[in-house]
């Protein structure tokens, strides 16, 4: 397996080397990261290094002071290579990428095992001998082809003679006896997925609250923004598991791989079922669709994603545009404390919304940091993603059931926004 080592100087001036472990490796100022560098120039969660097989990528997590890769600003996900130099707000990290094969090949040779070179070896004139290549006489290269041709003629004649045996089986018979698997597979072109296009989906009946099936979900259709609906699965739970990550990507600043576990998807589905018959929700979706530019302007003014602001406005209720203007300062202040780099951060903001409404913008972040230290002291290793999951925080009693419910309600609204008709809501998708 490829080894990734990060070489840098710590805050006390000592050189350090850290090995990157796991498929996702976070670097930042917060102790929740895989590598914590307590330098004020770094953001709470500053950089992400990811493995995809043999490919290694790096991306900035919307940090305040930014990141450079080999003196170029890192705006998008880039491939990380051996010898690259990262600068995290001025903190320099040198990247060393070595495969195990390279480590074995270029292992240092000890003086004892190194072969000794003969010095001042006397030179003599060798007697004239036939010219050779690699120890083989050049005559061999003229004779060998003739020998090979003779062998081929002999073998070909033998096969021809045996081909007319008593059973009369010919080469054509042999070819015709191929199994369908052998012939058909060669003729069938291999299909490769197109990552840039949303896959189409067949009409799938969706369950209404009374257990009857509603009309089939239509094929994806373009919205006014030119974005297609998210495809649905064979059940409502599968729909949630497919659609929720798309919404979660759109509300976060930099979260390429959000996901829901089966039990979490079931929780979201229960909320979806309680919301999908709301005429106010359908009206709200139509209102947002008609005022998308306003949501984009408002969200950008506070460093938020418009999809996040729109879902939050629907979650709070009232006229979506007016509500968005009211809640924007609260969400902006919570973003400073809790961040919006990942979808889990956005869900935490919604859990802390009522605290923020009351002027408390730091309490929940302090609780999360306290929980991280407690688990670390107990020798328990928890990933930063899990530590900031609303399900984990609820189980650890860092958020109340009411706060959890508010965040879950927000997520359910977002799922419906992506593909309303998949859940029987008479509205078009609202996607920024």
């Amino acid at each position: 397996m490829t080894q990734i080592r990060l070489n840098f100087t710590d805050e006390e001036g000592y050189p350090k080397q850290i090995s990157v472990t796991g498929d996702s490796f976070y670097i930042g100022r917060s102790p929740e990261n895989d590598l914590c560098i307590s330098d004020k120039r770094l953001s709470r969660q500053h950089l992400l290094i990811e493995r995809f097989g043999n490919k290694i990528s790096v991306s900035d997590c919307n940090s305040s002071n930014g990141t450079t890769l080999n003196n170029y600003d890192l705006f998008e996900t880039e491939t990380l290579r051996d010898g690259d130099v990262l600068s995290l707000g001025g903190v320099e990290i040198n990247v060393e990428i070595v495969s195990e094969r390279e480590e074995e090949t270029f292992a240092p040779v000890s003086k004892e095992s190194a072969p000794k070179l003969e010095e001042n070896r006397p030179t003599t004139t060798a007697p004239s001998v036939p010219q050779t290549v690699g120890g083989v006489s050049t005559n061999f290269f003229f004779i060998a082809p003739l020998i090979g041709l003779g062998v081929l003629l002999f073998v070909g004649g033998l096969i021809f003679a045996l081909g007319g045996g008593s059973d009369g089986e010919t080469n054509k018979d042999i070819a015709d006896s191929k199994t369908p698997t052998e012939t058909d597979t060669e003729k069938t072109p291999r299909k490769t997925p197109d990552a840039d296009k949303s896959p189409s989906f067949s009409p799938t009946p969706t369950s209404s609250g009374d257990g009857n099936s509603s009309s089939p979900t239509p094929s994806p259709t373009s919205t006014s923004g030119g974005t297609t609906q998210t495809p649905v699965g064979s059940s409502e739970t599968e729909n949630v598991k497919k659609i929720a990550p798309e919404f979660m990507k759109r509300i976060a600043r930099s979260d390429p791989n959000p996901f829901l576990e089966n039990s979490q998807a079931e929780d979201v589905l229960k909320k979806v079922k309680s919301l999908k018959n709301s005429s106010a929700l359908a009206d709200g979706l139509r209102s947002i669709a008609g005022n998308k530019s306003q949501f984009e302007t408002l969200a950008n003014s506070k460093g938020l994603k418009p999809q996040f602001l729109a879902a939050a406005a629907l979650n709070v209720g009232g006229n979506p545009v007016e509500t968005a203007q009211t809640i924007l300062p609260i969400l902006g202040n919570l973003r400073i404390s809790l961040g919006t780099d990942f979808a889990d951060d956005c869900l935490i903001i919604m859990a802390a919304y009522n605290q923020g409404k009351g002027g408390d913008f730091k309490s929940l972040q302090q609780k999360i940091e306290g929980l991280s230290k407690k688990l670390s002291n107990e020798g328990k290793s928890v990933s930063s993603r899990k530590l900031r999951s609303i399900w984990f925080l609820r189980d650890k009693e860092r958020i109340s059931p009411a706060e959890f419910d508010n965040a879950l309600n927000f997520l359910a609204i977002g799922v419906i926004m992506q593909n309303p008709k998949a859940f029987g809501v008479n509205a078009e998708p609202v996607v920024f």
Side-chain angles (χ1 to χ4, degrees), residues 46-48 58-64 66-67 74-76 254:
H46 197 109
L47 192 77
L48 169 63
V58 61
S59 57
D60 182 84
C61 300
N62 195 37
S63 61
S64 299
T67 302
L74 183 64
F75 291 121
E76 298 178 351
S254 177

Side-chain angles (χ1 to χ4, degrees), residues 134-272:
V136 180
S137 173
T138 53
N139 292 334
F140 174 79
F141 294 101
F142 294 100
I143 298 172
L146 296 176
I147 297 173
L149 181 61
V151 173
L152 288 175
L153 290 173
F154 174 76
V155 173
L158 183 63
I159 293 174
F160 180 81
L162 295 176
S166 60
D167 59 356
E169 187 181 32
T170 64
N171 290 337
K172 181 178 181 301
D173 296 328
I174 295 172
D176 292 341
S177 68
K178 280 187 178 181
T179 62
T181 303
E182 293 171 332
T183 57
D184 294 346
T185 303
E186 295 173 352
K187 296 177 182 178
T188 305
R190 180 175 296 179
K191 296 181 180 179
T192 56
D194 187 351
D196 296 329
K197 297 180 181 178
S198 297
S200 60
F201 57 91
S202 303
T204 306
T206 57
S207 173
S208 58
D210 54 6
N212 297 322
S213 294
S214 62
S215 59
T217 304
S219 297
T221 56
S222 293
T223 66
S224 58
T227 305
T228 56
Q229 291 182 174
T230 306
V232 297
S234 58
S235 69
E236 287 186 319
T237 302
E238 285 300 315
N239 288 351
V240 170
K241 290 187 69 176
K242 287 176 178 288
I243 296 173
E246 293 301 318
F247 169 71
M248 294 166 77
K249 284 181 185 178
R250 288 188 168 100
I251 62 175
R253 302 299 301 182
S254 177
D255 196 348
N257 298 307
F259 63 91
L260 289 180
E261 297 175 0
N262 288 334
S263 60
Q264 295 169 351
E266 290 289 347
D267 288 342
V268 176
L269 179 58
K270 291 176 185 177
K271 276 292 180 184
V272 168

